[in-house]
């Protein structure tokens, strides 16, 4: 009997070698599952994974980050731009390095995007306790700070023995490659175990391909969905992020061309159809267009494709107002397909749309319906033109004018990235998406600080596409650190930094809910506790320049137009800094077309809150349960 071949490596060395041989395959195309590893080293990973990565640079590229949360954001941007078929790993030290991963992990899991987290952990053998940065828990000796990652991870394991790495690593890859299960995956690695040697079977390091299948819809469920669509007079399709993840854009366009059914999009689904396709009616929900939201209120059938129906999409359960409205949900995840009391069609988005088109056999909505939403779409586009008008060339631009000038600058292949503040609302309503991955909005977790590191990840996934990170001053102050990484690695990203001296989005929400913009502006504080009207003398452009970016300041519409063109032509990371007029002084984007539930105090002493509560009660009365 011949003994199996083994290789003696440390746990960290074995893990890196294993990751370098993992692949995904869909539609005959193979990709690296783990394309690179981000890392910040400290005790807990410097002598383990750090040493292993040093030895394996040809097989596993290493990327140096500046902030642990930002490294996860960069990896998430990479995964999304890669259609979830390729991901990146992130390694940190124990203690604060590990806990800094929690926000990024939550973002990845909420958005169903794969990222592998490899935080260092305290000693498994416990030679001395407590060690530096160890959390002592009186009731449990096996708890560390890494346990904070459990609720925000789709899979979590602590590798307490070398041989335990084999099943843990295989389970981690399974989850990362599964479009239903995917999200953040955490393998906590005790620092002593990382450095321990073991005789690994050679099979552990063989190429392993994780096949990403396209599940087909059940015949009976498909027949019922087709019947529902044929019976509907005013159907509306809601395209979610699953359309992009499954590369179903062509199938959706063919479905819309054949049926004439209008297509609205969530933040994650925007760009599923080009903005100028006759059936594209724009964003839906609280940040949606007037066209899409009006159709949603009157629709007797909603066809959800790859959407999880967040409260922004449903306008907090007030948008789908037709008394007899029903839902057909095409989703690869059973959990999402059953929402809103829907008829469930569990399948890959592309496979499901192709099956629906085939079975509908030329069925088409009434011509009058197409003409009506076509006219409404044309009217909305005229409103967008008005919002984008640049006005006087020597005037300070508004935020919507910034978007208009950017729209005139970019090409079809450019990628626009945003996550938080007032920009998501303006972008969802106004941006004219021209290609399937141009519109990159992280609005599942809406995490301030996402945009700059995500731009690095997107650029790494698609190095031939110009990338624009759009941030306000509040978001910029959260996490500008990865500018240094972009400069160091020569990753050419463009940053549009919009200065409006405060948290504009939350300021507006605060005013609407009776909190009178309290705590949302950057102003001098007087000795009596009040704030003056003068903004703080903060120079964020100088800050970006100090971190290594080329910076172009634009004070007027004309200067901004020239600055955006110069940034796009540059081969270095470039920041365009512009101070905008506020929404109070310059007409901007059309107002929200649907409600969003943010509870207002039932009792208050100030009139603003009392009036806000009256409006809240009025809007909340329109909520309904779809059963």
């Amino acid at each position: 009997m011949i003994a199996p071949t083994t290789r003696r490596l440390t746990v960290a060395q074995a893990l890196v070698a294993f990751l370098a041989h993992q692949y995904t395959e869909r539609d005959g195309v193979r990709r690296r599952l783990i394309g690179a590893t981000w890392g910040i080293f400290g005790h807990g990973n410097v002598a383990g994974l750090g040493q292993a990565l040093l030895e394996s640079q040809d097989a596993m590229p290493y990327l140096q980050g500046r902030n642990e949360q930002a490294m996860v954001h960069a990896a998430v941007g990479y995964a999304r731009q890669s259609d979830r078929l390729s991901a990146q790993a992130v390694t940190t030290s124990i203690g604060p390095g590990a806990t800094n991963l929690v926000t990024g992990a939550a973002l990845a899991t909420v958005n169903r995007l794969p990222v592998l987290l490899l935080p260092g952990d305290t000693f498994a053998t416990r030679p001395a306790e407590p060690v530096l940065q160890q959390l002592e828990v009186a009731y449990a000796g096996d708890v560390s700070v890494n346990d904070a990652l459990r609720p925000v991870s789709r899979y979590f394991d602590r590798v307490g023995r070398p041989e335990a790495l084999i099943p843990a690593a295989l389970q981690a890859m399974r989850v990362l490659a599964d479009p239903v299960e995917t999200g953040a995956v955490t393998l906590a690695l005790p620092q002593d175990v990382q450095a321990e040697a073991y005789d690994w079977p050679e099979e552990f390091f063989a190429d392993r391909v994780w096949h990403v299948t396209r599940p087909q819809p059940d015949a009976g469920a498909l027949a019922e969905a087709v019947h529902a669509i044929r019976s509907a007079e005013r159907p509306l399709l809601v395209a979610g992020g699953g359309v992009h993840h499954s590369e179903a854009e062509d199938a959706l366009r063919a479905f819309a061309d054949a049926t004439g059914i209008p297509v609205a999009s969530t933040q994650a689904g925007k760009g599923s159809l080009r903005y100028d396709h006759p059936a594209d009616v724009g964003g839906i929900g609280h940040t949606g267009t007037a066209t899409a939201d009006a159709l949603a209120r009157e629709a007797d059938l909603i066809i959800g494709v790859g959407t999880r129906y967040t409260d922004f999409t449903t306008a907090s359960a007030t948008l789908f107002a037709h008394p007899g409205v029903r839902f057909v949900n095409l989703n690869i995840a059973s959990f999402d397909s059953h929402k809103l009391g829907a008829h469930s069609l569990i399948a890959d988005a592309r496979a499901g749309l192709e099956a629906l088109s085939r079975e509908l056999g030329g069925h088409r909505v009434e011509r009058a319906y197409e003409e009506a939403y076509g006219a409404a779409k044309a009217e909305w586009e005229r409103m967008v033109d008005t919002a984008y008008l640049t006005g006087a060339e020597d005037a300070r631009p508004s935020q919507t004018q910034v978007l208009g000038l950017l729209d005139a600058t970019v090409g079809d292949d450019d990628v626009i990235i945003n996550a938080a503040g007032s920009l998501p609302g303006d972008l969802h309503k106004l941006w004219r998406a021209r290609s399937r991955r141009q519109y990159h909005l992280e609005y599942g977790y809406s995490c301030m600080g996402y945009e700059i590191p995500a731009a690095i990840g997107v650029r790494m996934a698609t190095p031939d596409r110009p990338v624009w990170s759009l941030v306000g001053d509040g978001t910029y102050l959260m996490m500008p650190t990865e500018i240094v990484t972009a400069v160091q690695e020569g990753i050419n990203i463009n940053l549009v930094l919009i200065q409006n001296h405060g948290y504009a989005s939350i300021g507006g929400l605060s005013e609407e809910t009776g909190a009178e913009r309290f705590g949302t502006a950057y102003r001098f504080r007087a000795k009596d506790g009040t704030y003056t009207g003068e903004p703080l003398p903060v120079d964020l452009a100088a800050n970006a320049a100090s971190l290594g970016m080329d910076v172009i300041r634009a004070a007027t519409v004309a200067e901004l137009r020239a600055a955006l063109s110069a940034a796009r032509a540059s081969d270095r990371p470039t920041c365009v800094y512009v101070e905008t007029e506020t929404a109070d002084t310059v007409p901007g984007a059309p107002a929200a077309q649907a409600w969003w539930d943010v509870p207002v105090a039932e009792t208050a002493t100030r009139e603003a809150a009392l009036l806000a509560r009256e409006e809240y009660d009025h809007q909340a009365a329109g909520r309904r349960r779809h059963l």
Side-chain angles (χ1 to χ4, degrees), residues 569-627:
S570 176
D571 59 1
R572 275 185 41 79
T574 303
C575 170
V576 174
Y577 174 87
V578 57
E579 193 164 349
T580 58
E581 291 288 3
T582 66
D584 294 328
T585 57
V586 176
Q593 303 296 310
W595 187 56
W596 182 42
D597 190 346
V598 178
V600 177
E602 280 196 79
T603 62
T605 58
R606 298 174 72 93
E607 183 180 9
L610 295 172
L611 293 173
R613 181 66 196 199
E614 289 182 12
E615 177 62 17
Y616 176 85
D617 290 338
H618 171 72
Q619 295 289 350
R623 276 190 304 229
R624 61 184 291 192
R625 296 279 186 186
H626 296 286
L627 301 172

Side-chain angles (χ1 to χ4, degrees), residues 393 397 402 405-406 409-410 468 493-497 550-570 572-579:
E393 291 290 292
V402 172
L405 291 169
L406 185 61
T409 302
V410 302
W468 300 82
I493 61 172
N494 296 313
L495 170 63
V496 179
L497 176 50
D550 291 347
V551 175
I552 308 172
R553 296 174 184 259
T556 67
V557 166
E559 290 178 3
L560 179 58
R561 181 184 294 106
L564 292 172
S565 295
R568 192 172 188 273
S570 176
R572 275 185 41 79
T574 303
C575 170
V576 174
Y577 174 87
V578 57
E579 193 164 349

Side-chain angles (χ1 to χ4, degrees), residues 319-340:
L319 185 59
F320 306 120
H322 189 286
V325 65
R326 305 305 295 170
F327 297 82
V328 169
N329 288 343
L330 166 57
N331 204 295
I332 199 168
S334 172
F335 177 77
D336 292 316
S337 68
H338 284 90
K339 289 178 177 176
L340 302 179

Side-chain angles (χ1 to χ4, degrees), residues 341-490:
H343 171 70
S344 174
L345 191 61
I346 301 171
D348 169 78
R350 192 171 88 181
L353 284 167
E354 289 172 347
L356 284 171
S357 294
R358 184 171 59 250
E359 295 300 317
L360 282 167
H363 170 77
R364 194 173 185 89
V365 297
E366 293 291 334
R367 182 65 183 170
Y369 184 42
E370 290 188 73
E371 291 175 349
Y373 75 69
K377 171 184 170 67
E379 177 59 29
W380 180 262
E381 289 301 322
R382 285 190 287 271
M383 293 178 67
V384 174
D385 288 338
T386 300
Y388 276 1
L389 284 177
T390 55
E393 291 290 292
D394 60 351
R396 176 185 292 179
S398 67
Q399 180 166 284
T400 52
Q401 289 167 346
V402 172
L403 298 183
L405 291 169
L406 185 61
D407 176 78
T409 302
V410 302
D412 289 7
D413 289 335
D414 292 54
V415 182
I416 310 299
I417 301 172
N418 185 243
S422 57
L423 279 165
D426 288 351
L427 285 163
H428 198 205
K429 286 193 287 282
L430 302 176
W431 188 258
R432 290 163 164 164
R434 308 177 199 175
S435 59
R436 64 177 299 269
R437 280 297 189 191
Q438 181 177 75
Y439 188 85
H440 185 117
L441 262 284
E442 188 288 293
Y443 214 55
Y445 207 52
S446 189
C447 186
M448 297 176 73
Y450 172 81
E451 294 91 341
I452 295 173
I456 294 173
V458 169
R459 185 77 184 195
M460 292 180 65
T462 49
D464 56 334
R465 300 187 68 168
V467 177
W468 300 82
S469 176
L470 277 58
V471 301
D473 48 296
T475 291
Y476 178 85
L477 286 168
M478 288 282 183
M479 197 172 294
T481 54
E482 301 319 296
I483 287 175
V484 178
T485 300
V487 172
Q488 173 180 292
E489 300 296 333

Side-chain angles (χ1 to χ4, degrees), residues 7-11 14 161-163 166 196-201:
R7 191 188 309 181
R8 191 162 183 81
L9 298 171
T10 68
V11 168
R161 290 290 304 146
E163 56 268 35
I166 294 177
E196 189 173 344
Y198 183 74
D199 294 322
W200 305 90

Side-chain angles (χ1 to χ4, degrees), residues 306-327:
T307 177
R308 59 193 185 95
Y309 288 111
T310 69
D311 63 338
F312 261 58
T313 297
T314 68
S316 299
T318 64
L319 185 59
F320 306 120
H322 189 286
V325 65
R326 305 305 295 170
F327 297 82

Side-chain angles (χ1 to χ4, degrees), residues 17 23 73 107 127 134 147 214 224 245 323 336 387 405 488 491 588:
Y23 298 88
H73 292 336
L107 180 147
Q134 179 175 342
D147 288 275
R214 294 190 179 278
E224 290 187 36
H245 297 326
D336 292 316
L405 291 169
Q488 173 180 292
I491 299 173

